[in-house]
Amino acid sequence: MSDVLQLKRAATWSAGLRRARCAVAQTEPPPLEGSLTRMVGLTLEAAGCQAAVGDYCDVIAGDGSRIESEVVGFAGDRLYLMPAGDAHGLGPNARVIPRRHAGTVHVGEQLLGRIVDGSAQPLDGLGPLGCTDTVRLTGRPINPLARQPISAPLDVGVRSINSLLTIGRGQRIGLFAGSGVGKSMLLGMMARYTSAQVIVVGLIGERGREVKEFVERILGPQDRTRAVVVAAPADAPPLTRLRGAWLATAIAEYFRDRGANVLLLMDSLTRFAQAQREISLAIGEAPATKGYPPSVFARLPQLVERAGNGAEGSGSITAFYTVLAEGDDQNDPIADAARAILDGHIVLSRRIAESGHYPAIDIEASVSRVMTEIVPPAHVASARQFRQILSTYQQHRDLVAIGAYQRGSDPRVDQAISRWPRMQQFLQQDVHERVDLGASLGALESVLTEGN
């Protein structure tokens, strides 16, 4: 009899434990609040709260305002936070409240035609966004074997790129140049002329005045209806600049997963790396290469690899990232790292730009790694022949300029000299002129066959 009583008690206790566990699972306990203990440079240090790296927290300032911050590191029971806004008004023992479900962002069709900041808040004064879908800010990796291959060329409307550096739909390309050489101008041309259903523009760490200029002068009212602009200018905190790049990529992923062909323009990848450097150095990470900590070079592929073609049945993200070569040094650490992880690079030359030649593309130093796979062999042969003639002229340019070369000495050089005026004209294009893929190839054949 006693055994039966014990079994009944055990069953009652087990059922009560299951109900208690269900109650705990259904009523999530409130987050454990903490307090601000120290602020050094850009970094806030908090104690008494629990949060994971990447989670968001609200820090309550003295006037009651909430300053959004992100957990960027920890040491023991101390959390290191990076504010996403102005930290004025913070003092010792300020409340730190972790947020639930951090690391996600609201997206939707309502974003088209809008301008938002790095925190997905509207900047255009057109009211709330009203987005209901939610995605992870850092995205979800795609199995590389599930991605669709790059198989079709993309018409970008620029003659020299269409014909000599043909871009594939889903390719990731870098625009490498020093400051003031025309990166933004070339991006604007591709934003207007590229065949894409959705355009996502990330203006990361650039001049604030460029935001309005890009929207009004470059996109215009017609293209703006299919574009989303994410603006995190140079005066924004490093965390906001970092988030702006993640956000622009997350928005592009959202439309790609719904079958759209997306054009992602990010200006610039270098400012993204510099923002990560500021954060890493602020929390004590040791610099490795020219002041850049190792985490910077880990973040770059995490961002870039999210672009490209999606799985079967989804769309594509063709991405152009501008890379600022500091001091026109093409071996700058960020430029070198970006060149290794991108599917090609277009180099803009200051020497060419200073001669009044736009777009100032250095054809010899540029390459599209997928061109040979997506265009006919005849097109590849024509582009190779053009490069050979161009290289021959450049090698003998100084001799020709000073009159030291005698015509008839080398047939290849004679051919290059006779065709150089047409080639130079071919490589130049007005910013308001669109040249489609077919016309670009026709112009290339015309240059190569003239005089034969």
Side-chain angles (χ1 to χ4, degrees):
M1 192 70 178
S2 60
D3 293 341
V4 175
L5 183 60
Q6 287 180 359
L7 288 174
K8 287 183 177 180
R9 287 177 177 175
T12 303
W13 179 84
S14 179
L17 180 60
R18 285 196 299 270
R19 286 193 297 271
R21 286 175 176 171
C22 290
V24 170
Q26 292 172 1
T27 60
E28 189 177 347
L32 185 63
E33 296 185 13
S35 59
L36 200 62
T37 59
R38 190 171 65 162
M39 177 177 181
V40 179
L42 300 173
T43 311
L44 309 177
E45 188 175 306
C49 56
Q50 294 180 354
V53 173
D55 283 354
Y56 299 160
C57 298
D58 286 325
V59 184
I60 311 302
D63 57 359
S65 61
R66 291 174 175 253
I67 299 173
E68 185 182 58
S69 302
E70 181 177 324
V71 180
V72 295
F74 61 87
D77 60 347
R78 304 273 174 164
L79 297 180
Y80 296 128
L81 309 174
M82 188 68 61
D86 189 0
H88 284 89
L90 293 181
N93 299 318
R95 292 173 62 199
V96 178
I97 306 174
R99 290 184 184 178
R100 288 195 183 98
H101 312 298
T104 60
V105 62
H106 292 290
V107 293
E109 300 285 343
Q110 298 87 342
L111 284 167
L112 294 176
R114 302 298 301 271
I115 307 170
V116 299
D117 62 12
S119 299
Q121 299 302 313
L123 293 174
D124 48 18
L126 299 179
L129 296 172
C131 299
T132 56
D133 295 336
T134 302
V135 297
R136 286 173 54 87
L137 192 63
T138 54
R140 297 187 183 277
I142 300 177
N143 185 337
L145 297 181
R147 285 184 183 268
Q148 301 176 69
I150 300 174
S151 57
L154 179 70
D155 186 356
V156 299
V158 180
R159 181 169 47 236
S160 55
I161 297 177
N162 277 342
S163 57
L164 304 174
L165 303 165
T166 310
I167 306 300
R169 190 178 297 279
Q171 190 174 353
R172 298 160 301 189
I173 289 287
L175 299 181
F176 292 73
S179 58
V181 183
K183 299 186 302 298
S184 299
M185 181 191 73
L186 185 57
L187 273 186
M189 292 177 68
M190 289 186 288
R192 284 195 304 272
Y193 304 142
T194 300
S195 304
Q197 295 166 307
V198 176
I199 302 172
V200 180
V201 182
L203 301 177
I204 311 301
E206 297 300 315
R207 295 178 291 272
R209 68 169 179 82
E210 290 184 344
V211 178
K212 191 171 184 179
E213 289 182 2
F214 197 96
V215 172
E216 295 183 354
R217 297 184 184 179
I218 296 178
L219 284 180
Q222 182 177 357
D223 291 322
R224 183 176 174 180
T225 58
R226 62 184 177 121
V228 184
V229 179
V230 179
D235 60 344
L239 183 62
T240 301
R241 282 177 268 144
L242 203 67
R243 261 194 223 170
W246 294 123
L247 176 62
T249 307
I251 294 171
E253 286 176 322
Y254 171 79
F255 287 105
R256 176 191 64 188
D257 294 343
R258 277 149 185 78
N261 292 318
V262 182
L263 176 66
L264 173 62
L265 306 174
M266 190 166 295
D267 189 11
S268 70
L269 193 64
T270 304
R271 305 302 186 195
F272 169 83
Q274 290 174 346
Q276 177 63 36
R277 177 177 64 180
E278 292 179 46
I279 294 173
S280 300
L281 294 178
I283 62 177
E285 186 178 356
T289 307
K290 291 189 177 181
Y292 287 97
S295 62
V296 173
F297 302 100
R299 288 286 194 183
L300 288 175
Q302 290 175 3
L303 178 72
V304 170
E305 282 294 324
R306 293 169 60 183
N309 287 332
E312 194 69 33
S314 62
S316 65
I317 300 176
T318 306
F320 288 88
Y321 301 93
T322 65
V323 181
L324 178 62
E326 297 185 1
D328 292 337
D329 181 11
Q330 297 298 327
N331 294 317
D332 172 80
I334 300 303
D336 198 42
R339 196 161 38 239
I341 61 178
L342 293 169
D343 300 324
H345 50 274
I346 298 174
V347 178
L348 303 184
S349 167
R350 187 176 301 277
R351 174 184 60 81
I352 296 176
E354 288 175 346
S355 67
H357 181 129
Y358 288 99
I361 300 176
D362 187 343
I363 299 296
E364 293 180 279
S366 305
V367 66
S368 171
R369 294 181 179 176
V370 305
M371 178 177 175
T372 56
E373 306 295 330
I374 60 175
V375 300
H379 184 172
V380 176
S382 297
R384 184 179 296 117
Q385 183 183 356
F386 186 98
R387 283 174 173 269
Q388 291 171 347
I389 297 173
L390 177 64
S391 178
T392 299
Y393 181 85
Q394 296 293 356
Q395 291 171 9
H396 297 82
R397 182 179 189 133
D398 293 339
L399 292 177
V400 174
I402 63 175
Y405 175 77
Q406 298 294 324
R407 285 186 177 271
S409 302
D410 189 333
R412 296 181 302 110
V413 181
D414 293 342
Q415 181 190 50
I417 294 174
S418 63
R419 292 185 177 175
W420 173 244
R422 284 291 306 277
M423 294 175 69
Q424 194 173 30
Q425 183 181 6
F426 170 84
L427 293 174
Q428 297 185 59
Q429 183 174 335
D430 187 80
V431 68
H432 299 294
E433 177 189 5
R434 183 185 189 278
V435 183
D436 63 28
L437 188 60
S440 300
L441 186 55
L444 175 63
E445 294 296 335
S446 176
V447 171
L448 295 177
T449 57
E450 181 188 19
N452 286 350

